[in-house]
Amino acid sequence: MMWILHERHHTLLHLLFERYDVSSAKTKDGELVVELLKKEISQEDLGNCKRCLPLNFPFFMITERLEIYKPPVEKKDNPEYRRRLERLRVEQQAREYKLMTKTIDAGQKYGRDTTMENFGQELRSANRHLIVVVNTLLTVGGAFAFGFFGIHIAYPHLNLDMARRMIIGLVLGIIVFFADLYFIVKGMGDDIESNTAAESTTVLDFKKAVGSYGSPTSDVEKPRRQEEEDRKTR
């Protein structure tokens, strides 16, 4: 551990050395003790300085003013640290801006590309439509197969030719197709009604939120109406 005597104590150091007439005292290496005590000094050097001074010298007045030597820290410019600070500063500004504009644009959609925003909902809708199409094809194909092959298997004694079996299969397939088409159209109508109800609910909620703050026009008209009523009563 290194020690150092602060510059504010150098005057006291010179006064002590002049008073006891030891200004010319030197160490074994030939260095002046008074100059050595002004530098960074170790515990061993302190012991050497004390041995070079007379016994009546108040060396404790110097040691009690010594401070631990702290070497100066060199500040190095770290580009990575600066980039990180800049990134954190930009993120903080973005959060503050988003918080400030949250009441204006609650969805935070203005000025952004929202192409992939409803991707999940669109994917679910596409899957639902694909299932409906596959289900329709299977049911229509099954109805046609039942009419084409089922009649021949159930009643082989009728000896129906291929044309009649084809007509029976087509009739059953068309009936099943229109039945499926009815349910498809009905399901699409229910989806449209649910979306319309959701939008109307959002509009009503917005109107309620705006109405809770009061109308500026009504706030202005209330004092006027009160003044007119007071005039009439007078």
Side-chain angles (χ1 to χ4, degrees):
M1 183 180 294
M2 302 295 290
W3 303 86
I4 190 171
L5 188 67
H6 200 272
E7 292 181 359
R8 63 177 178 272
H9 302 306
H10 288 180
T11 304
L12 175 63
L13 179 66
H14 284 285
L15 290 175
L16 289 174
F17 272 74
E18 290 175 359
R19 182 176 180 181
Y20 288 89
D21 195 17
V22 288
S23 300
S24 59
K26 296 182 180 181
T27 61
K28 294 179 181 180
D29 298 332
E31 188 175 1
L32 291 174
V33 176
V34 66
E35 296 297 331
L36 182 60
L37 291 173
K38 294 179 182 179
K39 303 176 182 178
E40 300 87 21
I41 189 169
S42 63
Q43 191 73 27
E44 183 180 357
D45 293 334
L46 283 173
N48 294 332
C49 291
K50 185 177 181 181
R51 284 191 291 269
C52 295
L53 297 174
L55 296 177
N56 60 345
F57 185 84
F59 195 73
F60 68 92
M61 296 180 66
I62 297 175
T63 55
E64 68 182 4
R65 288 171 173 79
L66 290 175
E67 299 176 1
I68 297 175
Y69 174 69
K70 297 178 181 179
V73 180
E74 296 182 1
K75 295 183 179 179
K76 296 182 180 179
D77 190 8
N78 191 345
E80 184 179 357
Y81 178 71
R82 287 188 174 274
R83 286 195 297 268
R84 185 177 180 184
L85 284 180
E86 185 66 20
R87 179 174 57 82
L88 292 175
R89 185 179 63 82
V90 172
E91 291 178 358
Q92 179 66 22
Q93 290 179 353
R95 283 194 296 268
E96 292 177 356
Y97 177 77
K98 185 179 291 186
L99 183 63
M100 182 175 59
T101 58
K102 188 175 182 180
T103 56
I104 301 173
D105 184 14
Q108 300 291 320
K109 298 179 181 179
Y110 181 75
R112 292 192 309 171
D113 185 10
T114 57
T115 305
M116 302 296 291
E117 181 179 1
N118 298 324
F119 178 75
Q121 183 178 358
E122 293 175 358
L123 183 61
R124 289 192 295 270
S125 178
N127 289 336
R128 186 168 62 251
H129 294 162
L130 182 62
I131 291 172
V132 169
V133 171
V134 173
N135 186 29
T136 302
L137 292 177
L138 289 177
T139 53
V140 172
F144 175 80
F146 176 77
F148 187 80
F149 297 104
I151 298 297
H152 179 68
I153 295 173
Y155 304 101
H157 60 278
L158 295 178
N159 295 323
L160 298 175
D161 56 357
M162 184 175 292
R164 292 181 180 179
R165 289 162 55 193
M166 182 73 71
I167 292 172
I168 295 172
L170 289 175
V171 170
L172 292 178
I174 291 171
I175 293 173
V176 173
F177 171 74
F178 279 106
D180 284 343
L181 184 63
Y182 167 76
F183 288 107
I184 291 172
V185 173
K186 184 178 179 182
M188 293 174 62
D190 293 338
D191 292 340
I192 294 173
E193 289 179 359
S194 62
N195 294 333
T196 306
E199 292 178 358
S200 62
T201 304
T202 305
V203 173
L204 290 174
D205 292 340
F206 177 74
K207 289 182 178 179
K208 289 180 181 179
V210 173
S212 63
Y213 290 100
S215 174
T217 308
S218 61
D219 294 339
V220 174
E221 290 179 353
K222 284 181 181 179
R224 293 180 180 176
R225 293 176 182 175
Q226 187 66 30
E227 291 178 0
E228 292 178 358
E229 291 178 359
D230 293 340
R231 290 177 182 176
K232 290 180 181 180
T233 54
R234 291 176 184 176

